[in-house]
Amino acid sequence: MRVVEAFRAAYGASPATVWHAPGRVNLIGEHTDYNDGFVLPFAVPWGVTAAVTPRADRTVRLLSLQSPGEPVTMETHEESRGWTRYVVGVLEMLGDRAAGADIAIDGDVPQGAGLSSSAALEVSVASALNELHELGMTPMELALLSQRAENDFVGMPCGIMDQGASALSREGHALFLDCRSLGSRDIPLDLAAHGLSMLIIDTQVHHEHAGGEYAKRRAECESAARKLGVPALRDVTDLAEALGRLQGTERRRTMHVVTENHRVEALVGLLRAGAVTEIGALLNASHLSLRDQYEVSSPELDVAVEAALRGGARGARMTGGGFGGSAIALVPEDRLDRVRESVSSAYAEHGFQAPRFMPATPAAGAHRVA
């Protein structure tokens, strides 16, 4: 295993444990998690693998195979920069329960593609430290700790969906998660049995949410909820009445969140009924709402969705926080080549960088690998 070999070369000994945590695709339920709503992600086969040995002091030594060079050594958590913030943030949240550590990281989640490489990094390290220090934390507790690391240490006000999917997902299933109660159910997602595939279309437009637009959307939702007198937009029961009390941006954000929660529940109902081929219309509606009401799409995402549908996809939508990243398309297996050609041609016509295509198969959540 590459990460184990790198660990030995850097630190002169084998790691005490090695954990893998996956990235995720969100089937539906975008920007609903921080509004206490519903989401339906699933883990993907790519992720982050963390080789870890605890230290008796508070020194942190970090090595990433994606950032060649000598290990980064930090005597204080404030010294962390860039990708190291996500790892050190986990240690910061653990406090006295975990001091220093020697860590080597290897990841194959495409960064900036909206597949949640940061959550995979956090959850892999948190899971390893949980084992090594015998903390007894559940997968959901590890997800919440990882979310706090990103919220409080990195400064990205994300919801629980990404970390929850990375920690809790089950192979062959989507994860239906109530982001208020934190209750979850595994929903079977066997697309191949219905002659379908989920195609990820990486626009190659990378994004950085901590920069402002994501935080702005969250603030708009919180402001709308205050004006409506509800704890969160998830609590809006009379949408028409609520929209009549709001204007402009807050009205549009509320429209998206409330209807997106309904779409999640409807899609879960279709999957549980075995009507997998019927979910495409909900994917399409979700994308239109994200484009027009939540305003987090991009020209590259819109072109990918439109071209995928022209090529024969049953449904398509942007996935992840937006402003770039990836779209997903539900495609009959005999139309995969046609959809790829349609999207590639459309990108060439618009002068966009060529997209990358990846099949999305529901994978297992965080687990020990060595």
Side-chain angles (χ1 to χ4, degrees):
M1 192 181 300
R2 290 196 327 163
V3 72
V4 172
E5 295 171 0
F7 189 100
R8 289 178 183 143
Y11 306 128
S14 296
T17 194
V18 184
W19 277 75
H20 175 84
R24 64 96 189 96
V25 155
N26 191 21
L27 186 56
I28 200 164
E30 219 67 77
H31 292 277
T32 50
D33 58 349
Y34 54 79
N35 287 291
D36 283 0
F38 307 114
V39 294
L40 191 67
F42 61 87
V44 291
W46 317 286
V48 173
T49 304
V52 182
T53 292
R55 295 176 59 94
D57 57 20
R58 298 194 63 83
T59 299
V60 181
R61 294 195 294 180
L62 289 170
L63 172 71
S64 170
L65 274 69
Q66 284 64 57
S67 300
E70 294 297 314
V72 177
T73 300
M74 288 169 284
E75 301 299 334
T76 68
H77 293 169
E78 288 71 23
E79 295 174 17
S80 61
R81 298 288 186 274
W83 67 271
T84 68
R85 294 175 300 161
Y86 298 94
V87 178
V88 173
V90 169
L91 284 160
E92 180 77 7
M93 294 305 111
L94 287 171
D96 292 338
R97 291 178 291 176
D102 290 338
I103 302 172
I105 298 295
D106 190 14
D108 59 2
V109 181
Q111 293 188 5
L115 303 181
S116 200
S117 56
S118 60
L121 176 56
E122 294 153 357
V123 172
S124 63
V125 172
S127 298
L129 293 169
N130 180 53
E131 177 205 338
L132 293 174
H133 292 285
E134 300 181 343
L135 302 178
M137 298 177 71
T138 66
M140 178 54 78
E141 288 171 337
L142 291 169
L144 288 167
L145 181 138
S146 298
Q147 180 200 12
R148 289 199 302 275
E150 192 150 345
N151 290 171
D152 299 343
F153 194 80
V154 178
M156 166 62 182
C158 64
I160 189 58
M161 178 182 68
D162 295 350
Q163 292 82 3
S166 187
L168 278 79
S169 288
R170 180 180 166 195
E171 185 175 2
H173 294 72
L175 180 74
F176 178 49
L177 177 62
D178 181 333
C179 297
R180 170 173 287 167
S181 72
L182 302 181
S184 65
R185 285 185 296 176
D186 295 318
I187 308 297
L189 186 62
D190 188 356
L191 299 177
H194 298 268
L196 296 167
S197 291
M198 188 66 70
L199 186 67
I200 298 172
I201 306 167
D202 180 1
T203 66
Q204 304 276 19
V205 177
H206 295 174
H207 58 272
E208 175 55 61
H209 287 152
E213 286 298 323
Y214 186 101
K216 180 181 177 183
R217 297 300 184 281
R218 181 164 186 164
E220 290 165 346
C221 290
E222 292 170 351
S223 175
R226 285 194 297 271
K227 290 178 181 178
L228 294 172
V230 293
L233 292 182
R234 177 242 181 88
D235 299 296
V236 173
T237 55
D238 187 337
L239 180 58
E241 189 270 343
L243 296 180
R245 296 168 57 189
L246 297 170
Q247 294 181 339
T249 301
E250 291 179 356
R251 188 178 193 275
R252 294 194 298 274
R253 306 301 184 249
T254 301
M255 169 78 83
H256 167 73
V257 172
V258 175
T259 58
E260 186 80 346
N261 277 322
H262 293 324
R263 284 187 286 270
V264 175
E265 294 181 294
L267 199 148
V268 168
L270 289 174
L271 291 180
R272 289 172 64 86
V276 180
T277 58
E278 305 303 315
I279 68 175
L282 292 168
L283 302 182
N284 297 339
S286 175
H287 183 77
L288 292 176
S289 182
L290 288 159
R291 184 192 71 186
D292 299 337
Q293 306 299 333
Y294 221 70
E295 299 174 285
V296 291
S297 190
S298 69
E300 294 84 359
L301 286 166
D302 293 339
V303 168
V305 167
E306 293 159 8
L309 294 173
R310 284 199 306 271
R314 287 186 172 272
R317 63 182 289 272
M318 58 157 278
T319 187
F323 313 107
S326 295
I328 54 172
L330 182 69
V331 185
E333 290 179 348
D334 60 359
R335 298 181 191 172
L336 280 168
D337 288 342
R338 198 189 319 169
V339 168
R340 292 190 191 99
E341 291 168 4
S342 178
V343 175
S344 295
S345 296
Y347 267 48
E349 291 172 7
H350 283 79
F352 296 157
Q353 182 178 350
R356 175 170 45 175
F357 302 98
M358 298 169 284
T361 304
H367 57 281
R368 194 181 196 272
V369 293

